Amino acid sequence: MLRTALLTLILMTPATAFANEVLIELTGKVEREYYGGKLCDLEFNLTNNSFGTLYRIYINVDGWDDRGEKFDELLSFSMDNSHGGWGGKTPVAKGTTQSFKGGSFKGSCKWLDKIKIGKLDNDDCNIRMMPEEVNCSDILKVLPGSTGLKID
Protein backbone atom coordinates (compact mmCIF):
# COMPACT_ATOMS: atom_id res chain seq x y z
CA MET A 1 0.00 0.00 0.00
CA LEU A 2 2.78 2.43 0.97
CA ARG A 3 4.77 1.49 -2.12
CA THR A 4 1.76 2.22 -4.37
CA ALA A 5 1.15 5.59 -2.68
CA LEU A 6 4.82 6.55 -3.06
CA LEU A 7 4.88 5.53 -6.73
CA THR A 8 1.70 7.53 -7.37
CA LEU A 9 3.20 10.58 -5.69
CA ILE A 10 6.37 10.34 -7.80
CA LEU A 11 4.41 9.94 -11.03
CA MET A 12 2.13 12.88 -10.24
CA THR A 13 5.00 15.24 -9.34
CA PRO A 14 5.80 17.61 -12.23
CA ALA A 15 9.06 16.93 -14.05
CA THR A 16 10.27 20.44 -13.22
CA ALA A 17 10.48 19.46 -9.57
CA PHE A 18 13.35 17.14 -10.51
CA ALA A 19 14.99 19.45 -13.05
CA ASN A 20 18.35 20.99 -12.27
CA GLU A 21 18.24 24.29 -14.09
CA VAL A 22 18.97 27.97 -13.78
CA LEU A 23 16.23 29.86 -15.57
CA ILE A 24 16.54 33.46 -16.74
CA GLU A 25 13.25 34.90 -17.95
CA LEU A 26 13.26 38.37 -19.47
CA THR A 27 10.49 40.46 -17.91
CA GLY A 28 10.87 43.89 -19.46
CA LYS A 29 12.73 46.44 -21.53
CA VAL A 30 13.29 49.76 -19.76
CA GLU A 31 14.25 52.81 -21.80
CA ARG A 32 15.92 55.82 -20.24
CA GLU A 33 17.64 59.02 -21.30
CA TYR A 34 21.43 59.24 -21.15
CA TYR A 35 23.36 62.35 -22.18
CA GLY A 36 21.00 63.21 -25.00
CA GLY A 37 20.61 59.62 -26.18
CA LYS A 38 18.63 56.59 -25.18
CA LEU A 39 19.64 53.48 -23.28
CA CYS A 40 17.76 50.20 -23.15
CA ASP A 41 18.04 48.04 -20.03
CA LEU A 42 16.67 44.52 -19.75
CA GLU A 43 14.98 43.33 -16.58
CA PHE A 44 14.87 39.62 -15.80
CA ASN A 45 13.94 37.06 -13.19
CA LEU A 46 16.56 34.53 -12.21
CA THR A 47 15.11 31.28 -10.88
CA ASN A 48 17.44 28.79 -9.26
CA ASN A 49 16.17 25.22 -9.50
CA SER A 50 19.66 23.75 -9.47
CA PHE A 51 21.72 21.84 -6.93
CA GLY A 52 22.07 24.52 -4.23
CA THR A 53 22.47 28.25 -3.64
CA LEU A 54 23.67 30.20 -6.67
CA TYR A 55 26.41 32.58 -5.54
CA ARG A 56 27.64 33.88 -8.88
CA ILE A 57 26.57 33.90 -12.50
CA TYR A 58 27.84 36.22 -15.21
CA ILE A 59 26.69 36.00 -18.83
CA ASN A 60 27.78 38.31 -21.66
CA VAL A 61 24.95 39.39 -23.94
CA ASP A 62 24.95 41.04 -27.38
CA GLY A 63 21.91 42.73 -28.91
CA TRP A 64 20.73 43.33 -32.48
CA ASP A 65 18.11 45.63 -33.90
CA ASP A 66 15.34 44.70 -36.31
CA ARG A 67 17.66 45.34 -39.31
CA GLY A 68 20.35 42.96 -38.06
CA GLU A 69 22.77 45.64 -36.85
CA LYS A 70 24.53 45.09 -33.56
CA PHE A 71 23.66 47.42 -30.68
CA ASP A 72 26.47 49.26 -28.95
CA GLU A 73 26.75 48.77 -25.21
CA LEU A 74 27.40 51.15 -22.35
CA LEU A 75 30.56 49.64 -20.80
CA SER A 76 29.44 46.04 -21.41
CA PHE A 77 26.14 44.24 -21.29
CA SER A 78 25.73 41.25 -19.03
CA MET A 79 23.12 39.37 -17.07
CA ASP A 80 24.28 38.49 -13.59
CA ASN A 81 23.13 38.25 -10.00
CA SER A 82 24.12 41.77 -9.02
CA HIS A 83 21.92 44.83 -8.99
CA GLY A 84 23.41 46.93 -11.76
CA GLY A 85 26.89 45.47 -11.44
CA TRP A 86 27.81 47.37 -8.29
CA GLY A 87 27.66 46.34 -4.66
CA GLY A 88 28.40 42.62 -4.91
CA LYS A 89 26.41 39.57 -5.84
CA THR A 90 23.04 38.59 -4.41
CA PRO A 91 22.85 34.86 -3.54
CA VAL A 92 19.82 33.08 -5.00
CA ALA A 93 18.75 30.16 -2.83
CA LYS A 94 17.64 26.89 -4.38
CA GLY A 95 13.95 27.02 -5.32
CA THR A 96 13.71 30.84 -5.29
CA THR A 97 13.45 33.64 -7.84
CA GLN A 98 15.08 37.07 -7.69
CA SER A 99 14.63 40.06 -10.03
CA PHE A 100 17.61 41.82 -11.61
CA LYS A 101 18.46 44.35 -14.30
CA GLY A 102 21.10 43.75 -16.97
CA GLY A 103 23.50 46.26 -18.50
CA SER A 104 22.58 48.94 -21.00
CA PHE A 105 22.37 48.88 -24.78
CA LYS A 106 22.80 52.25 -26.50
CA GLY A 107 19.60 52.97 -28.42
CA SER A 108 15.85 52.76 -28.19
CA CYS A 109 14.25 49.61 -26.78
CA LYS A 110 11.69 49.63 -29.58
CA TRP A 111 14.42 48.63 -32.06
CA LEU A 112 15.93 45.84 -29.94
CA ASP A 113 14.88 42.63 -31.69
CA LYS A 114 17.30 39.85 -30.75
CA ILE A 115 19.87 39.01 -28.10
CA LYS A 116 22.69 36.50 -28.27
CA ILE A 117 23.77 34.79 -25.08
CA GLY A 118 27.55 34.50 -24.81
CA LYS A 119 29.45 31.45 -23.66
CA LEU A 120 29.00 30.79 -19.95
CA ASP A 121 32.34 29.74 -18.49
CA ASN A 122 32.35 27.63 -15.35
CA ASP A 123 34.51 30.37 -13.78
CA ASP A 124 31.51 32.69 -14.12
CA CYS A 125 29.15 30.30 -12.37
CA ASN A 126 29.26 29.28 -8.72
CA ILE A 127 26.51 26.98 -7.44
CA ARG A 128 26.76 25.12 -4.16
CA MET A 129 26.67 21.31 -4.42
CA MET A 130 27.01 21.32 -8.24
CA PRO A 131 28.73 18.07 -9.31
CA GLU A 132 32.15 18.37 -10.97
CA GLU A 133 30.92 16.75 -14.18
CA VAL A 134 28.12 19.30 -14.71
CA ASN A 135 28.74 22.47 -16.71
CA CYS A 136 26.74 25.53 -15.83
CA SER A 137 25.96 26.16 -19.49
CA ASP A 138 24.19 22.77 -19.63
CA ILE A 139 21.63 23.78 -16.98
CA LEU A 140 21.10 27.42 -18.08
CA LYS A 141 17.89 28.32 -19.91
CA VAL A 142 17.07 31.82 -21.14
CA LEU A 143 13.46 32.62 -22.09
CA PRO A 144 12.16 35.78 -23.80
CA GLY A 145 9.22 36.09 -21.39
CA SER A 146 6.98 39.04 -22.16
CA THR A 147 9.64 40.98 -24.10
CA GLY A 148 9.07 39.23 -27.42
CA LEU A 149 12.82 39.21 -28.08
CA LYS A 150 14.41 36.47 -30.16
CA ILE A 151 17.12 34.60 -28.28
CA ASP A 152 20.11 33.12 -30.05
Side-chain angles (χ1 to χ4, degrees):
M1 181 76 156
L2 180 61
R3 189 179 325 179
T4 305
L6 185 58
L7 183 59
T8 303
L9 179 63
I10 290 171
L11 292 175
M12 293 180 65
T13 303
T16 55
F18 298 109
N20 281 311
E21 68 180 8
V22 173
L23 179 66
I24 293 178
E25 183 175 11
L26 303 175
T27 57
K29 298 186 278 186
V30 179
E31 189 166 294
R32 59 188 170 102
E33 294 292 322
Y34 183 77
Y35 291 108
K38 296 191 182 298
L39 292 179
C40 182
D41 300 331
L42 292 181
E43 295 176 331
F44 59 94
N45 286 336
L46 193 155
T47 301
N48 178 14
N49 288 322
S50 67
F51 304 94
T53 300
L54 183 146
Y55 290 102
R56 173 180 161 74
I57 191 162
Y58 182 89
I59 307 160
N60 286 312
V61 178
D62 292 321
W64 280 269
D65 66 17
D66 57 344
R67 297 172 302 198
E69 293 183 27
K70 187 176 176 190
F71 263 75
D72 287 331
E73 303 155 359
L74 181 65
L75 301 176
S76 68
F77 191 100
S78 66
M79 289 191 286
D80 61 22
N81 60 317
S82 68
H83 292 283
W86 311 106
K89 305 292 183 194
T90 301
V92 181
K94 180 178 180 174
T96 66
T97 299
Q98 298 257 355
S99 296
F100 297 97
K101 188 183 289 189
S104 299
F105 289 117
K106 292 181 181 177
S108 176
C109 287
K110 69 181 176 182
W111 305 122
L112 184 61
D113 184 57
K114 178 176 85 170
I115 61 171
K116 181 177 182 180
I117 306 302
K119 182 180 179 229
L120 176 59
D121 292 323
N122 280 337
D123 291 345
D124 291 327
C125 180
N126 181 359
I127 300 173
R128 175 172 266 183
M129 304 296 288
M130 187 165 81
E132 288 289 324
E133 66 275 2
V134 175
N135 290 315
C136 221
S137 58
D138 295 336
I139 62 172
L140 175 69
K141 292 187 174 130
V142 181
L143 301 174
S146 61
T147 65
L149 291 173
K150 297 174 191 126
I151 298 180
D152 190 12

